[in-house]
Amino acid sequence: MYKSPVEMLIADIQHQIAKEQDEEIYKAVVHYAVNVDKEELIRALKYDRDQYERGYADGRSDAVAHGVWHKYHDYFTNRQVGWICTNCSAVTSDLSNGDTPFCPHCGAMMDNEEE
């Protein structure tokens, strides 16, 4: 899969920053006379960072989605036949659905302002 040079550069910079942080943390631990294996400490720090990043990504994916109901019209008659969710693009044929505060398909809260 193609990755842009900017993405690769950012990843390299993040990796370098993490290495420098690991080294500074190790120096601080040694400074306070704590006997620790450097490689084990670095593995623990990497594990903590990975756990944080996974937790952050999971939190973002679990976040509540928001959307707006838009009228959905029949192509041929130009008559309203339902509503469409701006979050998931699902169409519902229930004409009263425009009053529903949540999309029955994706669960998005219908609280965004119409543009």
Side-chain angles (χ1 to χ4, degrees):
M1 176 189 254
Y2 173 77
K3 281 193 172 187
S4 75
V6 173
E7 267 185 81
M8 292 188 304
L9 180 61
I10 289 172
D12 289 345
I13 291 170
Q14 288 173 332
H15 179 72
Q16 184 62 34
I17 289 171
K19 281 178 63 176
E20 290 173 10
Q21 286 175 337
D22 292 347
E23 190 64 35
E24 290 302 314
I25 291 170
Y26 176 72
K27 286 178 187 176
V29 168
V30 170
H31 175 74
Y32 288 102
V34 176
N35 189 14
V36 65
D37 179 65
K38 182 178 181 179
E39 296 305 314
E40 190 65 32
L41 175 65
I42 291 172
R43 273 195 295 275
L45 293 170
K46 181 179 178 345
Y47 176 79
D48 285 347
R49 273 194 293 277
D50 291 345
Q51 291 295 84
Y52 172 79
E53 288 171 9
R54 273 190 231 118
Y56 181 79
D58 288 346
R60 294 283 297 162
S61 68
D62 291 343
V64 176
H66 299 271
V68 176
W69 287 120
H70 284 290
K71 293 178 180 178
Y72 184 73
H73 293 86
D74 180 77
Y75 179 77
F76 297 105
T77 64
N78 201 26
R79 182 176 61 99
Q80 183 182 353
V81 293
W83 295 90
I84 186 166
C85 170
T86 58
N87 184 60
C88 69
S89 300
V91 176
T92 179
S93 59
D94 183 2
L95 290 178
S96 66
N97 207 48
D99 297 328
T100 306
F102 294 95
C103 174
H105 301 281
C106 69
M109 287 180 53
M110 294 299 157
D111 59 356
N112 279 354
E113 297 289 326
E114 276 207 58
E115 298 168 355

